[in-house]
Amino acid sequence: MKHLLYFLFFLSATCFAQEPLSTSFIKKTKLKADAVIGVDAFGDLFYIKNNVLIKKSSTKEITYSNIQLGTLTSANSFNPLKINVFYQAFNTVIILDNRLAEIYKIDFNSNKIYKNVSHISTGSDHTFWIFNQDLQHLELYDYSNNSTRATTQPVQSSVLDLTSNFNGSWLLTNNFLYQYNYFGSLVYKIKNDGYSSISESNENIVIKKGDSLLYLPKNSKTLKEIEVPNLLIKQFFLTNGILYIYDGEFLYHYQLKTK
């Protein structure tokens, strides 16, 4: 019986032990930015500096600014043909095309049904996810006809971060990390064990915890630590297997080895 218990303990430890994911350094580029937004499939870099959204390619830079709306709170380049830019102070979202020209302007203050929005993230078609602070839930909002396609159940703690893709969204709160599908139904929730921000790529999630990064693979509940050098991680994101880390001076590029 004693040997059986030892065997079961060893088997359990083996099942739950996870080897860290290794990375290989690709390059680093010098960058002065207030916030790094992302890199699209064409290698174009999006970032914010001095309240201006900048799209930088290998040959040119284009910019977008709207000083009438105050401070640019966030931007999302997941869909480079429909980039959303959020100005929280004015409760307004601007949709830009790939030349950073305005396509839509959504002023939630003037909507028939007022929405007090704190976070936004890209959805499919003419939609994006918004977190409604008054109702404490996510909504999949269709800006082409001013309607809500889906809503989630309310959450019970403050929101830290929000990310999404065409199929669903991930909401990080003080208490839990939630995943929702396109219809607003809960897929899973994981207790927040000191997590502060998240990034999504192909439904794989990278999570920041203190000075380290963790990897949550698609269709898994098992977190794996990512081996990265001792860097100041101001921002990070994952795009097509490349892990980007910004330390306030350089943007580092690492190949993430998941297999």
Side-chain angles (χ1 to χ4, degrees):
M1 185 66 178
K2 178 190 261 187
H3 293 295
L4 177 60
L5 289 174
Y6 278 130
F7 172 75
L8 291 175
F9 174 81
F10 176 77
L11 179 61
S12 175
T14 303
C15 290
F16 287 97
Q18 293 292 324
E19 290 291 329
L21 295 180
S22 61
T23 58
S24 58
F25 175 78
I26 300 173
K27 65 177 181 178
K28 68 177 183 179
T29 53
K30 194 170 183 61
L31 180 65
K32 286 296 182 182
D34 299 322
V36 180
I37 305 305
V39 175
D40 67 16
F42 305 102
D44 297 334
L45 173 66
F46 296 80
Y47 63 97
I48 298 170
K49 184 177 181 180
N50 298 327
N51 210 33
V52 175
L53 176 64
I54 301 170
K55 177 182 178 181
K56 182 178 181 180
S57 69
S58 58
T59 58
K60 63 180 180 178
E61 288 185 0
I62 55 177
T63 64
Y64 172 82
S65 65
N66 193 327
I67 59 175
Q68 294 180 335
L69 293 177
T71 301
L72 200 168
T73 305
S74 67
N76 189 303
S77 61
F78 172 73
N79 182 350
L81 300 178
K82 295 177 182 177
I83 301 158
N84 57 57
V85 182
F86 179 43
Y87 294 88
Q88 186 176 3
F90 282 79
N91 210 20
T92 297
V93 179
I94 306 292
I95 308 297
L96 309 174
D97 66 14
N98 61 341
R99 297 167 296 174
L100 302 190
E102 292 188 10
I103 306 173
Y104 285 91
K105 178 181 179 181
I106 304 97
D107 181 356
F108 288 110
N109 294 319
S110 61
N111 272 10
K112 291 182 180 179
I113 301 177
Y114 171 78
K115 299 178 187 294
N116 183 14
V117 178
S118 65
H119 294 75
I120 71 164
S121 192
T122 301
S124 63
D125 301 325
H126 294 86
T127 69
F128 50 80
W129 292 91
I130 64 173
F131 186 77
N132 188 321
Q133 289 192 103
D134 293 339
L135 300 178
Q136 286 292 292
H137 68 204
L138 279 178
E139 302 179 18
L140 183 61
Y141 178 76
D142 187 329
Y143 55 83
S144 65
N145 57 24
N146 189 25
S147 65
T148 298
R149 292 191 185 181
T151 60
T152 69
Q153 292 295 314
V155 297
Q156 305 301 319
S157 62
S158 299
V159 173
L160 301 177
D161 206 355
L162 170 65
T163 189
S164 61
N165 59 25
F166 294 142
N167 299 317
S169 62
W170 290 258
L171 182 71
L172 180 65
T173 73
N174 280 330
N175 291 343
F176 294 99
L177 169 63
Y178 300 89
Q179 182 190 1
Y180 300 99
N181 64 22
Y182 182 80
F183 303 101
S185 300
L186 181 66
V187 178
Y188 67 73
K189 69 177 183 179
I190 297 173
K191 183 176 175 58
N192 186 338
D193 185 24
Y195 313 143
S196 57
S197 54
I198 55 176
S199 177
E200 181 274 342
S201 179
N202 298 321
E203 302 196 14
N204 305 300
I205 304 298
V206 177
I207 303 171
K208 185 174 185 289
K209 178 181 179 180
D211 297 323
S212 63
L213 295 176
L214 307 173
Y215 182 75
L216 181 63
K218 178 182 178 181
N219 299 325
S220 173
K221 305 296 188 302
T222 303
L223 291 163
K224 301 179 181 181
E225 187 172 358
I226 301 174
E227 289 184 338
V228 292
N230 186 21
L231 297 173
L232 172 64
I233 305 174
K234 290 188 66 175
Q235 288 182 273
F236 65 94
F237 52 94
L238 182 66
T239 302
N240 296 326
I242 305 298
L243 176 66
Y244 299 86
I245 298 176
Y246 183 56
D247 68 354
E249 185 177 1
F250 291 96
L251 182 64
Y252 294 82
H253 305 59
Y254 294 93
Q255 181 69 52
L256 182 61
K257 300 177 180 179
T258 58
K259 294 182 181 180

